Amino acid sequence: MAGYKVVISGYYGFSNAGDEAMLYAILRALREVFPDVETTVISGKPEETARRFHTKAIPRFGGLSIGRSLLSCDLLISGGGSLLQDVTSSRSLLYYLSIILAGILCRKRVFLYGQGIGPLRRKWVCSLLGHVLSHVDAITVRDEKSRKLLESLGVRAPVYTTADSVFSLPRVPLDRGQEILRQAGISVGKKVIGISVRNWLDADRWAEPFGDYLDRLAEEDWTVLFIPMQWPEDQQMAERLCRRKPEHFRFLEGTFSAPELMSIIGSLDLLVGMRLHALIFAALMHVPFIGISYDPKIDNFLRAVGQEAIFPISAFDAEKLYNKTEALLSGRTSFGSWEAVEALRKKAEETVQILQDVVKH
């Protein structure tokens, strides 16, 4: 496959650790299967993406450069995440769908890589999505609910349920994560709880009980560390939640690579998270976690690993979360088996096998 050219579309270049991890996983998989592959990533910050991932990169709204790249490529990948949903906005969905449609019109192979589809609220969006996606070569989705949604839309392209692309990443050593923790002033010997939060709808309603939970943690002999998955937005939300006793908490500042975040989270005793990929990193590193649901993708992931959200963010229960935290850290409650996580690793590897079949035919 010497000189095989691939264009990758997704929410890249916006300091979102989850999306950057998916890009890292996709590029890693492509380079293992096609050693001489030439990749071009559509990015919000193309220079940064090119530097971090050793790939060509073009501007997200660079119409001419996107058009030229699609005309000269062999394959378009619409890379993982919840790109095709209209809850936050239908405009972003239309953007990603327009890239897919452009690939189809350029008569290129088009492959959806470990996507999460939906939620979809508008009938015209459902109709448009069903029509366009019927003309791609293959679709892999990260959960069964996404597959059923595509089926209900009448999508005629082959659809496979695999897993989030990040599940294909191998476990990493803890050395780098422990070094970062030391630099953040975290002493060895205490239990360390990682917190991954994000701003979300009606934050005024759940910020106060979340702060109550954090106050309870501050009374214990535990270290509480906030881990930003999107900088600086997550940092701002963290500071808002713990404003009553900020001196009791530690904050990681800036952005980190996927391997660094895996190493950091692998060095924790427990992760409490809203962010999907913070939870996935914990699962990959076999660190117990408690998921708080703000979106169906969290529930889908937790079900896939034999867990369930402790509650939706709209019904935040500080007492319930504290009791679960204490039970896991004290060993009174065991987390469960990691077999489901390893099964998802294998499912993620199937995505690459399906992609190989698409390329061969």
Side-chain angles (χ1 to χ4, degrees):
M1 303 299 293
Y4 196 79
K5 296 181 179 180
V6 180
V7 173
I8 306 174
S9 167
Y11 186 69
Y12 309 128
F14 294 96
S15 300
N16 183 297
D19 290 281
E20 301 299 288
M22 286 186 282
L23 175 59
Y24 173 69
I26 291 169
L27 288 170
R28 183 177 177 277
L30 285 173
R31 289 163 180 165
E32 285 186 354
V33 176
F34 311 123
D36 297 319
V37 67
E38 296 180 20
T39 57
T40 300
V41 177
I42 302 173
S43 169
K45 296 178 182 175
E47 291 183 1
E48 181 179 310
T49 296
R51 175 181 56 79
R52 289 187 65 189
F53 296 101
H54 308 290
T55 179
K56 294 180 181 177
I58 54 178
R60 181 177 174 85
F61 294 107
L64 287 176
S65 54
I66 291 174
R68 285 195 293 266
S69 295
L70 288 175
L71 284 170
S72 64
C73 79
D74 300 290
L75 170 72
L76 168 66
I77 290 178
S78 184
S82 302
L83 304 180
L84 302 177
Q85 52 83 21
D86 66 354
V87 173
T88 52
S89 166
S90 58
R91 285 181 296 178
S92 62
L93 180 147
L94 290 173
Y95 169 81
Y96 295 114
L97 207 56
S98 70
I99 301 293
I100 292 171
L101 181 59
I104 294 168
L105 293 176
C106 289
R107 299 182 180 277
K108 305 301 178 179
R109 290 188 174 91
V110 180
F111 184 80
L112 272 64
Y113 200 116
Q115 291 247 5
I117 310 296
L120 301 173
R121 295 183 176 178
R122 299 167 177 86
K123 288 185 178 179
W124 66 267
V125 167
C126 293
S127 177
L128 181 62
L129 196 63
H131 180 73
V132 173
L133 295 189
S134 290
H135 294 85
V136 306
D137 291 271
I139 301 169
T140 57
V141 293
R142 63 187 181 190
D143 54 75
E144 187 62 13
K145 192 171 182 179
S146 293
R147 188 195 65 78
K148 289 181 178 178
L149 177 55
L150 290 175
E151 185 179 274
S152 73
L153 298 179
V155 172
R156 297 187 299 275
V159 180
Y160 307 88
T161 303
T162 56
D164 190 292
S165 58
V166 174
F167 274 105
S168 67
L169 296 178
R171 296 179 71 180
V172 300
L174 300 182
D175 309 47
R176 176 59 179 150
Q178 291 173 352
E179 178 187 346
I180 292 170
L181 294 185
R182 284 194 294 270
Q183 291 172 352
I186 294 174
S187 58
V188 178
K190 287 188 177 182
K191 298 281 188 181
V192 183
I193 306 169
I195 307 286
S196 170
V197 296
R198 62 162 298 167
N199 197 355
W200 192 243
L201 305 176
D202 299 322
D204 289 339
R205 295 179 60 186
W206 55 264
E208 184 172 349
F210 209 136
D212 293 339
Y213 164 71
L214 293 170
D215 287 348
R216 291 284 300 275
L217 296 185
E219 297 170 2
E220 304 291 345
D221 191 30
W222 301 325
T223 298
V224 181
L225 172 70
F226 284 91
I227 301 170
M229 296 293 287
Q230 181 149 20
W231 177 265
E233 291 86 345
D234 290 3
Q235 171 80 359
Q236 293 163 357
M237 191 66 212
E239 291 173 350
R240 177 180 176 183
L241 293 176
C242 63
R243 62 180 178 270
R244 285 177 282 194
K245 298 180 180 179
E247 68 278 5
H248 289 270
F249 306 100
R250 296 288 183 269
F251 302 87
L252 291 183
E253 298 184 355
T255 59
F256 299 90
S257 68
E260 284 177 328
L261 283 166
M262 289 176 68
S263 186
I264 291 165
I265 291 174
S267 302
L268 304 175
D269 295 283
L270 176 69
L271 176 82
V272 177
M274 292 175 65
R275 290 281 191 183
L276 174 63
H277 285 92
L279 296 169
I280 290 178
F281 288 154
L284 287 171
M285 297 302 291
H286 290 190
V287 169
F289 55 85
I290 302 173
I292 300 171
S293 177
Y294 75 92
D295 184 277
K297 65 186 179 184
I298 304 295
D299 299 288
N300 294 337
F301 159 70
L302 292 171
R303 279 194 293 268
V305 294
Q307 302 290 322
E308 61 180 37
I310 189 166
F311 43 65
I313 191 66
S314 59
F316 199 101
D317 186 330
E319 183 73 14
K320 186 176 183 180
L321 182 55
Y322 176 81
N323 290 339
K324 182 72 176 289
T325 300
E326 193 278 332
L328 284 169
L329 287 177
S330 67
R332 289 191 296 105
T333 298
S334 62
F335 182 74
S337 170
W338 298 107
E339 290 181 4
V341 175
E342 297 310 310
L344 286 172
R345 280 188 195 274
K346 294 179 181 178
K347 294 291 285 184
E349 292 169 0
E350 290 177 15
T351 306
V352 183
Q353 296 168 5
I354 295 165
L355 175 59
Q356 283 182 284
D357 291 339
V358 167
V359 169
K360 289 177 182 176
H361 296 94

